[in-house]
Amino acid sequence: MEIRLLRRRDYSSVREIYKAVGDEYLQYQRQRSGEVYDPVGPDLDTAQLDFYIATHSSFVAIENKKLAGFLLAQPLSWVSDWDKVLWLEYIAIHPAHRRRGIGLALISAAQDFARKHDIKGLLATLNVDNEESKSLLVRAGFDVKDWRIASSLL
């Protein structure tokens, strides 16, 4: 497996995984509660992906020469306990490539980026009922306080 920065040529594969994972989650919601809530939207446009390339903190995972997953992130600064944080906005692994350590490898790349750029911690949001996401973040060393925010000090 190779982990590298997001590139423009990755767009079609990232969008394909984004849609597949989004559709999967909406189906899960329908089965679980009959209601559907999609705060993210059905697609990523080119401008959004250009933004994530410009952050130099978004990564893709390549497995057997195919894009298997991605992590979209951006560094943020504000007045708080930390000078800077890396906001992990979206982590998605193609269903056919799950349970192979790809999510952890992507988070590890983000942690390495943060350390190299004097970023003091990582933050991520979670969906209320996404146990797989919660489990991944806990395995990566995040403190999941409630269903919305997970954090990891470096």
Side-chain angles (χ1 to χ4, degrees):
M1 172 186 5
E2 172 193 0
I3 304 295
R4 63 165 171 75
L5 288 171
L6 174 67
R7 299 177 188 159
R8 190 168 249 280
R9 71 176 189 217
D10 299 324
Y11 285 11
S12 63
S13 296
V14 166
R15 291 169 97 175
E16 177 185 317
I17 292 171
Y18 182 90
K19 180 156 178 36
V21 169
D23 289 348
E24 179 183 55
Y25 186 68
L26 294 177
Q27 181 64 28
Y28 170 79
Q29 284 184 327
R30 278 187 202 95
Q31 290 173 347
R32 185 163 186 254
S33 67
E35 296 180 24
V36 173
Y37 171 66
D38 184 11
V40 179
D43 196 9
L44 290 168
D45 64 36
T46 302
Q48 288 170 299
L49 291 170
D50 285 342
F51 169 80
Y52 289 112
I53 284 178
T55 70
H56 302 288
S57 60
S58 296
F59 300 91
V60 296
I62 308 297
E63 190 173 60
N64 299 322
K65 298 182 182 181
K66 183 170 178 147
L67 199 142
F70 63 87
L71 180 149
L72 303 178
Q74 64 173 301
L76 300 174
S77 297
W78 66 79
V79 176
S80 72
D81 295 327
W82 300 335
D83 293 335
K84 289 194 268 185
V85 297
L86 184 63
W87 186 262
L88 308 185
E89 292 190 40
Y90 203 85
I91 303 168
I93 311 302
H94 189 282
H97 295 268
R98 291 186 185 148
R99 309 264 185 277
R100 298 182 187 167
I102 294 170
L104 284 174
L106 287 165
I107 291 172
S108 179
Q111 290 168 327
D112 289 346
F113 170 88
R115 283 184 196 97
K116 288 176 186 170
H117 292 88
D118 198 32
I119 294 173
K120 304 299 181 200
L122 282 70
L123 293 177
T125 55
L126 299 115
N127 292 322
V128 65
D129 52 2
N130 191 333
E131 287 299 322
E132 289 179 353
S133 237
K134 179 180 175 181
S135 176
L136 170 65
L137 291 170
V138 167
R139 284 192 320 269
F142 282 71
D143 179 20
V144 180
K145 294 188 188 295
D146 61 33
W147 68 267
R148 293 181 185 216
I149 300 288
S151 61
S152 173
L153 292 173
L154 295 175

